[in-house]
Amino acid sequence: MSTASLPPTARAVINNLCLGSAPDSWGVWFPSDEHQVPYTRFLDELAEAGYTWLEIGPYGYLPTDPDRLAEEVGRRGLKVSGGTTFGALHRPEQWDEMLATTRTVAELTAALGAQHLVYIPTMYRDEKTGGYTEEPTLTAEQWAQYGAAASELGKILLEEYGVRLCLHPHADSHIQTQEEIERYLNESDSRYANLCLDTGHVAYGGGDNIDLIRRYAERVEYVHIKQMDGDVLRQVWDEGLSFGEAVKRGVCVEPPAGVPNPAGIIDELSTQALDRFVIVEQDLYPCAPDVPLPIAIRTRQYLNSCGLSGTARPRPTPRTTDHT
């Protein structure tokens, strides 16, 4: 990385933010896929790139036996920041199946000592073909269902597993635009259902990350730091591209390129007296096996220069209010 791309001066370590990464930054979207590197290579390269904390990623990509996963991460000097799962909170007919799956992921997450579960909404376009699988907007009845289901799920996760539900806005999902993010927050109970702020996906949906951080500070439990290429974003909006096609065109870029400005996000987070994980995600699926490691190293170096390190372990913020 050239010195021109670094901040003017390296900052001191920001003590309330803890840096990590995720399988997504190695091109991993699925539990198993011919285009993805083996999990052992991901873990080896994550440690080689200088990270300590990792998110579990799609359930089944890493070992699902808690003892085996603990051994795999521990012998590489790694720790788990949170789990990851997917589901459709607006479909009551799928509640039982979704809850069973989420319980499984929560159990593994808690067994590894992590306290956050990143919940990614089901997309309304197929990840590989881009075809629409359902309507892109929710009805008023579905919104009410969404908020109630998120609150109930979050309550179960917190009371039974000690894990906090952090819903992740995502391109081609019903929680994508700022209006949708705010409606989710207003429809759900802040004691149990909060936000994984993915800065890239917020930008993809035309939202304002800084505004969300300032106005919904206590709802932002966890952060994915990601940047989107402005030129490709314009192609998305002009051509109606699916997220999968946008990724193939290189919509996700390493910092400090793209939007939003990662240094500005970090500066805003650093002003708040809230402990948070900040997890690097750069959607690369599919990519050649040799692509992720150099990017991961440069990204870690840049974010270190912005004051992020992996030396702390953030504590969840207590919730005392009900925003139903």
Side-chain angles (χ1 to χ4, degrees):
M1 175 178 287
S2 68
T3 55
S5 63
L6 293 173
T9 56
R11 334 179 20 155
V13 171
I14 300 169
N15 292 322
N16 66 317
L17 304 177
C18 186
L19 179 64
S21 193
D24 184 54
S25 298
W26 267 256
V28 175
W29 278 9
F30 306 102
S32 178
D33 187 275
E34 62 182 355
H35 300 298
Q36 298 174 174
V37 297
Y39 82 85
T40 51
R41 178 167 180 171
F42 158 66
L43 292 176
D44 288 342
E45 293 189 353
L46 183 73
E48 182 180 346
Y51 293 91
T52 300
W53 294 90
L54 74 143
E55 198 173 289
I56 292 174
Y59 184 80
Y61 175 66
L62 296 178
T64 58
D65 176 81
D67 293 336
R68 184 179 172 197
L69 182 55
E71 194 277 331
E72 290 280 9
V73 299
R75 68 184 178 87
R76 294 172 171 87
L78 300 172
K79 303 175 185 178
V80 174
S81 63
T84 316
T85 191
F86 304 79
L89 292 170
H90 62 293
R91 301 176 190 164
E93 73 278 6
Q94 296 182 6
W95 170 264
D96 290 343
E97 180 182 358
M98 179 277 297
L99 179 58
T101 299
T102 305
R103 283 183 181 278
T104 300
V105 179
E107 186 174 7
L108 179 62
T109 301
L112 271 293
Q115 296 172 311
H116 300 88
L117 183 58
V118 177
Y119 189 100
I120 300 176
T122 299
M123 296 165 67
Y124 55 73
R125 297 181 74 167
D126 186 270
E127 291 175 282
K128 293 186 177 181
T129 69
Y132 283 86
T133 56
E134 64 180 313
E135 290 295 322
T137 57
L138 298 178
T139 66
E141 181 180 3
Q142 288 174 316
W143 270 116
Q145 165 67 27
Y146 211 110
S151 302
E152 178 62 20
L153 179 62
K155 187 170 189 269
I156 292 169
L157 294 176
L158 185 59
E159 293 181 350
E160 298 187 22
Y161 302 95
V163 170
R164 294 187 172 272
L165 176 67
C166 305
L167 189 130
H168 177 303
H170 200 286
D172 290 351
S173 85
H174 297 106
I175 313 294
Q176 174 178 216
T177 67
Q178 180 140 345
E179 181 182 3
E180 290 164 346
I181 294 167
E182 293 186 15
R183 182 147 187 184
Y184 154 72
L185 292 172
N186 291 331
E187 294 276 0
S188 59
D189 187 331
S190 66
R191 295 173 298 177
Y192 305 119
N194 288 292
L195 196 65
C196 167
L197 184 78
D198 186 295
T199 62
H201 283 281
V202 170
Y204 192 101
D208 185 333
N209 281 280
I210 298 296
D211 179 62
L212 288 169
I213 293 168
R214 288 175 178 170
R215 290 197 297 118
Y216 295 96
E218 291 193 356
R219 306 297 300 271
V220 178
E221 288 263 6
Y222 193 89
V223 177
H224 282 173
I225 196 156
K226 180 184 295 178
Q227 299 73 229
M228 299 292 185
D229 181 273
D231 291 336
V232 180
L233 277 184
R234 281 186 285 275
Q235 295 171 28
V236 169
W237 300 330
D238 292 343
E239 302 176 35
L241 302 180
S242 69
F243 182 61
E245 177 60 28
V247 170
K248 291 178 184 177
R249 295 192 189 187
V251 71
C252 294
V253 292
E254 65 181 278
V259 293
N261 172 20
I265 298 292
I266 294 165
D267 284 344
E268 188 61 38
L269 292 170
S270 72
T271 66
Q272 299 179 352
L274 298 169
D275 293 343
R276 296 184 177 101
F277 280 108
V278 179
I279 304 299
V280 175
E281 277 205 331
Q282 183 177 346
D283 295 299
L284 291 173
Y285 178 89
C287 68
D290 294 335
V291 167
L293 179 58
I295 293 175
I297 293 172
R298 292 192 298 268
T299 297
R300 194 263 308 156
Q301 290 171 339
Y302 173 80
L303 294 174
N304 283 169
S305 76
C306 292
L308 291 186
S309 77
T311 57
R313 180 188 176 123
R315 296 163 296 175
T317 303
R319 302 294 163 193
T320 57
T321 58
D322 185 342
H323 290 180
T324 54

